[in-house]
Amino acid sequence: MTQPTPERDTASFAAAEPEAIAAETAPAEDAKGSDDLLQLLLTANGLEQSGEIDRAREIYEDIVTRDSTGVWGQSASQALAALPASEPAALEDTTLERPDSNSEERSTESEPTVPLPPSPPLDTSPRREPKTAVARSRGGLGTTLKLMFVATAAVPAVLTAGATLWLAPQTLPPATTPSETDDRDRVLQRQTLLAAIVGAVSILALASLTLPRLQRLDRYLRQIAYFSKKVKLDRPTRPLEIPEGRDEIGAIAANLRDIADLVTNQNHRLQQLERQQEQERQRDRAEKDRLQQQALDLLERLEAARSGNLAVEAPLSDGAVGAIADAFNATARSLREFVSQTARVAADVTERTHDSETAVRQLSDAARHQSQDLQSALDTVRAIADAIDRLSRSTRDAADLARQATEAARLGDSNMDRTTESMEQLRTAVANTAKKAKRLAESAQEVSQILAVVSGISEKANLLAFNAAIEAARAGERGEGFRQVADDVRGLATQIGESAGDIERLVGSIQAETADVLDVLEAGTAEVVSSTRSVGQTQQTLRQLSELSQAIDGSLQTVARDSADRARSSQDVNRVMEEVNRVALTNTEEAQRVVSVLQGLLEEVETLKSSVAKFQVE
Amino acid sequence: MTPLFPFVCLAHAIETLAMKHVFVVEDGHAEQKMIEALLKQAGFQVTLSSSVDEAWDKLQSGSPPDLFVLDIVMPGKSGLELCRTIRENEQLQDIPVVFCSSKSEEFDRFWAMRQGAQAYLVKPYAPKELLDVVYQHVK
């Protein structure tokens, strides 16, 4: 199956042919280095492939003589061993039978240092002898024994059966009555006895015939046993007293004699074989020792690996231990990879866990801070809510006050209305008084004018009285009475003049008083007017105040509404913030839990690392 | 330079492309030379490596070969190790592997074949043996 087809060979080596021929024709003197040996090997191989076996053999032999222990020489000797024989040679028999390429038996046969023992004639002669003996003595002892067996076994049986059959038809009528049944039983007993007698007689006759033969056979066999025992014990023995060539016993005796000769002849050969066997045993022992040593080496490595040193490599020795070592190396290699990977992963996990732990701790702290901030914010919001509540109450109070102010302003307004009315009446009254005072002043003035007239008349009356007194004095005594009257008129006139002056002074004072009254009245009027104006302004102010109060009331109501809204909103905010705070607290707890989990993980990883650290991988 | 040079080059390239590629990993210098010479004489393209690591580097960069010839006992990783790696690699797992080793016991052959090799040659071997095995298994 490993033999390539000739077509392919010739095709593939056609190209190499000229080179090969060139190398062959070149003298081989300079073939000293390995390159030349290689060239020779190639040439020989080319020749072998192209069918020139003899020339190839010559070159191979040349290579073997030059380089008997090297790679080239060994390859060449292998090639020589595999070359097909050109002429029949006894030595080539074994190599010819053997398959060309890697056969199973090759490893055992490839030891040319241990020559095979020369083929012994012992193997052939006994093999041929029994054949002829069997051929010659066909119908001999075997047949006799078979006949004796048949006679002893079959003849009595056949005779008995024949006797029984011969007796049976006449003596076995069908049984109908009890007396007949008794007769039948009797007849049967008789027949059985008869048949037994016939059998016994025939057995005795046959035994007398066969016994002497068996005795002789026994004797011969004893002799053969004794002889073969002697042969086995390797002692000189007297020859067998058995006539030759009669039957198998004779043949066995002849063969035994031959064997005895052969045993004697092959003694030294056996010794040789024993020596060889001893050598082989020694070799086996050495092999066993080697195997044991290999196993010990491997066990040492296994022990080292078990204690954690995975960097061990077992040597790839020959045989099963080498294969186990290779499997062990492969296992150790994958374990090394696994351990390295585990260590890497553990380191990675540690690092990441540390990072994560820090991050989670920060997160936890942040969450705690957040919670605290939220708590204070919550307090603030609560304070704001309280403030809003208080504000709401104050606003309500202020609204009440504003409403009261509005009411008061309205009341003031109506009072002012009444005041204005009174003032108006007062002004009218003052105006009337002033008018009357003016008319008084005018009357006083008229009185004054009249008084001036009276005063003139009095002065004229005085002058008239004086004139009358001067006329009376000239008229002497007769004129006395007249002078009297004239004096009286002059007194009257002076009196009138004095009274007129008094009246004038009175009128003057009346006029002055009236002027004062007028002044006062004017001032009062002005006062009233300004008071009226002030009252109007006050009223205006009160109205504005009322409006303002109303506006304030409205605003306060809005504020109250707003603050109610704000109170609700702040409650909402409060709720939300409490929720947030709860979440923040939960976060803190979670973060702490995660931290503890991470610490647990770190511990686990440390355990893993210390386990992994037990293994050496480099 | 002849005017035919480009054609010669082309022919050479086609020939190289058509040549089957054998990847040899063997630490012995003389053995390397012998395997290379034998395979080249038989018309194969040969890549040589002296260790498993070197071989693996070369395999990473180059195109996959048509056949591997591996020694077993080498310094560093063994040929068995390389064979296992080859069998685990998607691109290389179908490429036949031939072991050439001086480990001559039957169990060595059994174990090497068990690692996914197609043939096992015991050193020393006749040149024809190697070529026959390579011919038989190369695709």
Side-chain angles (χ1 to χ4, degrees):
Chain A
M1 64 171 192
T2 55
Q3 199 73 27
T5 58
E7 291 84 20
R8 195 181 55 188
D9 278 351
T10 44
S12 56
F13 282 97
E17 197 69 34
E19 199 182 46
I21 289 165
E24 181 213 4
T25 49
E29 284 94 54
D30 55 344
K32 282 172 188 160
S34 62
D35 284 343
D36 301 313
L37 286 171
L38 172 61
Q39 205 55 51
L40 280 175
L41 192 71
L42 290 178
T43 309
N45 184 45
L47 287 169
E48 184 189 349
Q49 300 282 348
S50 58
E52 296 179 63
I53 305 295
D54 291 341
R55 286 168 70 190
R57 188 193 310 279
E58 279 169 23
I59 297 172
Y60 280 141
E61 280 166 356
D62 186 25
I63 295 169
V64 171
T65 50
R66 285 176 193 213
D67 183 35
S68 57
T69 52
V71 173
W72 322 109
Q74 288 184 350
S75 285
S77 64
Q78 289 294 324
L80 268 179
L83 274 180
S86 54
E87 66 240 35
L91 199 75
E92 300 281 297
D93 279 350
T94 49
T95 55
L96 267 176
E97 277 167 13
R98 160 178 125 191
D100 274 322
S101 71
N102 46 348
S103 71
E104 309 273 312
E105 299 83 1
R106 196 188 171 292
S107 54
T108 53
E109 284 186 327
S110 64
E111 290 176 350
T113 49
V114 184
L116 284 169
S119 56
L122 176 77
D123 292 343
T124 51
S125 57
R127 210 183 292 150
R128 219 168 290 141
E129 283 275 338
K131 269 186 199 165
T132 52
V134 168
R136 196 171 55 198
S137 65
R138 201 169 294 254
L141 181 63
T143 320
T144 314
L145 282 173
K146 273 181 213 156
L147 278 174
M148 277 160 70
F149 170 76
V150 167
T152 45
V155 168
V158 166
L159 281 176
T160 312
T164 313
L165 277 175
W166 177 64
L167 290 169
Q170 355 172 348
T171 51
L172 283 178
T176 46
T177 59
S179 64
E180 280 179 354
T181 311
D182 288 345
D183 287 348
R184 209 167 147 254
D185 285 350
R186 263 198 305 280
V187 170
L188 265 176
Q189 278 173 0
R190 258 203 313 264
Q191 284 176 358
T192 313
L193 194 66
L194 199 62
I197 289 166
V198 169
V201 168
S202 60
I203 283 168
L204 279 175
L206 283 165
S208 63
L209 274 173
T210 50
L211 264 175
R213 285 176 174 276
L214 283 174
Q215 275 172 351
R216 203 179 63 219
L217 195 61
D218 180 52
R219 200 175 62 243
Y220 285 169
L221 283 174
R222 274 173 203 279
Q223 277 185 18
I224 286 169
Y226 179 75
F227 186 77
S228 60
K229 192 178 167 191
K230 288 289 173 191
V231 169
K232 191 187 87 179
L233 291 176
D234 196 15
R235 281 182 203 150
T237 175
R238 55 194 169 118
L240 277 175
E241 295 169 354
I242 299 172
E244 205 171 315
R246 274 190 53 190
D247 51 11
E248 285 89 341
I249 297 292
I252 288 170
N255 284 339
L256 268 179
R257 282 188 205 100
D258 284 351
I259 288 168
D261 292 345
L262 282 172
V263 164
T264 323
N265 290 339
Q266 296 290 328
N267 256 347
H268 70 283
R269 188 172 149 66
L270 274 173
Q271 281 160 4
Q272 253 183 7
L273 275 174
E274 268 170 16
R275 272 199 300 278
Q276 273 185 4
Q277 275 173 354
E278 182 58 31
Q279 280 172 0
E280 257 174 45
R281 267 199 296 279
Q282 276 174 359
R283 229 184 8 251
D284 281 355
R285 215 173 296 127
E287 178 66 18
K288 206 170 150 190
D289 287 350
R290 189 178 67 89
L291 204 63
Q292 216 162 22
Q293 192 52 47
Q294 287 174 358
L296 275 176
D297 283 357
L298 185 60
L299 276 178
E300 252 173 48
R301 261 79 171 185
L302 279 170
E303 189 61 24
R306 193 201 58 74
S307 62
N309 183 7
L310 294 177
V312 287
E313 287 263 348
L316 293 184
S317 47
D318 287 2
V321 178
I324 295 168
D326 177 56
F328 162 72
N329 286 346
T331 311
R333 197 178 296 275
S334 33
L335 273 176
R336 275 205 293 279
E337 280 165 18
F338 169 72
V339 167
S340 304
Q341 202 179 7
T342 308
R344 241 186 350 265
V345 168
D348 206 24
V349 166
T350 309
E351 196 183 329
R352 275 163 198 247
T353 309
H354 275 306
D355 289 355
S356 302
E357 202 191 352
T358 316
V360 170
R361 267 185 210 287
Q362 283 171 356
L363 189 69
S364 168
D365 289 350
R368 203 176 300 121
H369 282 310
Q370 193 188 16
S371 172
Q372 284 164 2
D373 290 352
L374 278 170
Q375 197 58 49
S376 62
L378 206 58
D379 293 346
T380 312
V381 169
R382 278 205 196 98
I384 289 172
D386 288 351
I388 287 171
D389 203 30
R390 278 201 303 279
L391 180 67
S392 180
R393 269 203 302 282
S394 305
T395 310
R396 269 201 300 283
D397 292 352
D400 289 348
L401 286 176
R403 264 196 296 284
Q404 283 172 10
T406 313
E407 201 57 37
R410 204 173 291 130
L411 206 62
D413 195 27
S414 60
N415 285 345
M416 279 304 154
D417 281 347
R418 275 200 302 280
T419 308
T420 313
E421 235 169 82
S422 305
M423 292 293 249
E424 210 55 48
Q425 285 170 0
L426 183 62
R427 205 172 64 166
T428 317
V430 169
N432 288 340
T433 313
K435 247 179 250 168
K436 282 176 183 161
K438 267 180 192 165
R439 265 200 306 278
L440 183 65
E442 280 163 8
S443 301
Q445 211 163 2
E446 281 169 17
V447 167
S448 180
Q449 282 164 2
I450 294 163
L451 273 172
V453 171
V454 164
S455 187
I457 291 165
S458 114
E459 274 171 17
K460 274 165 186 172
N462 198 9
L463 197 47
L464 263 156
F466 183 67
N467 284 347
I470 290 161
E471 283 308 306
R474 244 182 321 179
E477 277 189 85
R478 252 176 20 196
E480 197 57 39
F482 194 61
R483 205 202 44 147
Q484 204 59 58
V485 169
D487 286 335
D488 287 339
V489 168
R490 217 184 62 195
L492 196 59
T494 307
Q495 216 181 337
I496 288 169
E498 277 173 13
S499 291
D502 284 346
I503 289 169
E504 188 139 15
R505 273 195 306 276
L506 207 63
V507 168
S509 76
I510 285 172
Q511 273 186 318
E513 290 281 332
T514 309
D516 282 351
V517 167
L518 270 174
D519 282 347
V520 168
L521 282 175
E522 268 174 16
T525 309
E527 196 68 24
V528 166
V529 166
S530 79
S531 289
T532 311
R533 203 177 297 130
S534 292
V535 166
Q537 277 173 352
T538 306
Q539 203 173 15
Q540 194 67 32
T541 309
L542 277 173
R543 277 194 196 121
Q544 282 172 354
L545 191 63
S546 170
E547 280 167 15
L548 203 60
S549 306
Q550 273 173 355
I552 286 170
D553 189 31
S555 295
L556 283 171
Q557 271 171 7
T558 314
V559 168
R561 253 200 321 278
D562 287 355
S563 61
D565 285 352
R566 228 162 285 142
R568 268 199 303 282
S569 300
S570 74
Q571 274 170 2
D572 288 351
V573 169
N574 209 349
R575 230 182 1 261
V576 168
M577 285 184 80
E578 269 173 3
E579 185 67 21
V580 171
N581 190 21
R582 207 168 51 70
V583 170
L585 282 175
T586 317
N587 280 355
T588 314
E589 281 169 19
E590 283 294 316
Q592 273 161 359
R593 213 163 55 76
V594 169
V595 166
S596 67
V597 166
L598 285 178
Q599 273 167 349
L601 180 64
L602 268 183
E603 280 165 22
E604 294 288 328
V605 170
E606 282 307 318
T607 316
L608 180 64
K609 271 162 124 177
S610 62
S611 300
V612 166
K614 285 180 198 154
F615 294 101
Q616 292 166 251
V617 292
E618 280 170 4
Chain B
M1 192 182 289
T2 64
L4 285 173
F5 182 71
F7 298 103
V8 172
C9 281
L10 188 66
H12 185 68
I14 290 170
E15 195 188 343
T16 311
L17 277 179
M19 275 156 77
K20 293 289 185 183
H21 178 194
V22 179
F23 198 104
V24 179
V25 187
E26 165 67 64
D27 62 324
H29 183 64
E31 314 242 0
Q32 264 190 14
K33 271 168 79 177
M34 186 175 81
I35 296 174
E36 185 186 19
L38 283 170
L39 291 174
K40 280 193 171 165
Q41 189 194 31
F44 291 104
Q45 185 196 340
V46 179
T47 305
L48 284 174
S49 292
S50 299
S51 75
V52 170
D53 289 331
E54 184 195 337
W56 193 246
D57 288 345
K58 282 186 182 173
L59 283 170
Q60 296 302 307
S61 52
S63 59
D66 296 295
L67 185 125
F68 287 101
V69 174
L70 308 180
D71 190 9
I72 289 182
V73 184
M74 288 182 279
K77 289 178 185 166
S78 69
L80 296 168
E81 193 82 43
L82 179 60
C83 182
R84 281 192 285 269
T85 318
I86 287 168
R87 287 293 171 256
E88 282 168 11
N89 186 292
E90 265 184 37
Q91 269 130 38
L92 307 176
Q93 61 188 359
D94 295 327
I95 299 171
V97 171
V98 175
F99 277 116
C100 292
S101 172
S102 49
K103 283 154 73 74
S104 58
E105 290 190 18
E106 192 47 40
F107 207 94
D108 296 322
R109 174 192 301 280
F110 159 76
W111 186 246
M113 300 300 269
R114 184 74 181 264
Q115 305 313 311
Q118 272 61 43
Y120 188 90
L121 281 179
V122 178
K123 291 178 191 170
Y125 46 80
K128 192 167 173 297
E129 275 185 80
L130 174 72
L131 290 174
D132 286 347
V133 168
V134 170
Y135 275 130
Q136 189 197 345
H137 291 290
V138 78
K139 286 187 175 175

